[in-house]
Amino acid sequence: MVEQVDTLVIGGGMAFTFLAAQGHSVGTSLLQEDQIEVCKDLLERFGDVIHLPVDVVVADKFAADADAKTVNADEIPDGWMGLDIGPDSAKAFAEAIRAAKTIFWNG
């Protein structure tokens, strides 16, 4: 799909494999280790099209009573898991979406 779009915005669980492909620690976040090399290749070839989170909401566990905070996407603490994009990413993603003429959503 990346060859057919002007902008590809990646959030949610998929973003953490891309962040790992950039060499960032993702703590205990959802991660597809077998796809890291694919993500590296995509970022190398289409980095100008792919938009990743700049900040993420993380928690110390996946539970209603978890401690949560927002951190830079490249500063996920060990033992914490990324759950979603942060407020700065939401603003950037909204701008990209606002400029789009056609939107394909998966998630």
Side-chain angles (χ1 to χ4, degrees):
M1 175 168 290
V2 73
E3 294 176 348
Q4 301 173 356
V5 300
D6 296 321
T7 302
L8 182 63
V9 177
I10 300 176
M14 188 182 297
F16 301 107
T17 304
F18 278 88
L19 292 172
Q22 290 180 318
H24 303 307
S25 171
V26 295
T28 60
S29 306
L30 181 65
L31 179 67
Q32 291 181 287
E33 291 203 31
D34 64 324
Q35 295 299 308
I36 290 175
E37 290 302 318
V38 172
C39 292
K40 281 182 185 178
D41 178 60
L42 290 170
L43 288 168
E44 198 172 288
R45 294 188 303 141
F46 303 103
D48 58 330
V49 173
I50 297 172
H51 296 262
L52 297 172
V54 295
D55 62 341
V56 293
V57 176
V58 297
D60 62 345
K61 60 184 175 182
F62 188 74
D65 64 343
D67 286 330
K69 59 185 176 180
T70 301
V71 299
N72 289 336
D74 60 353
E75 297 177 352
I76 298 173
D78 290 340
W80 288 63
M81 65 178 64
L83 301 175
D84 206 346
I85 64 172
D88 291 340
S89 297
K91 288 176 190 171
F93 287 10
E95 280 186 38
I97 291 167
R98 203 173 359 266
K101 293 182 181 177
T102 302
I103 298 169
F104 174 80
W105 183 283
N106 178 26

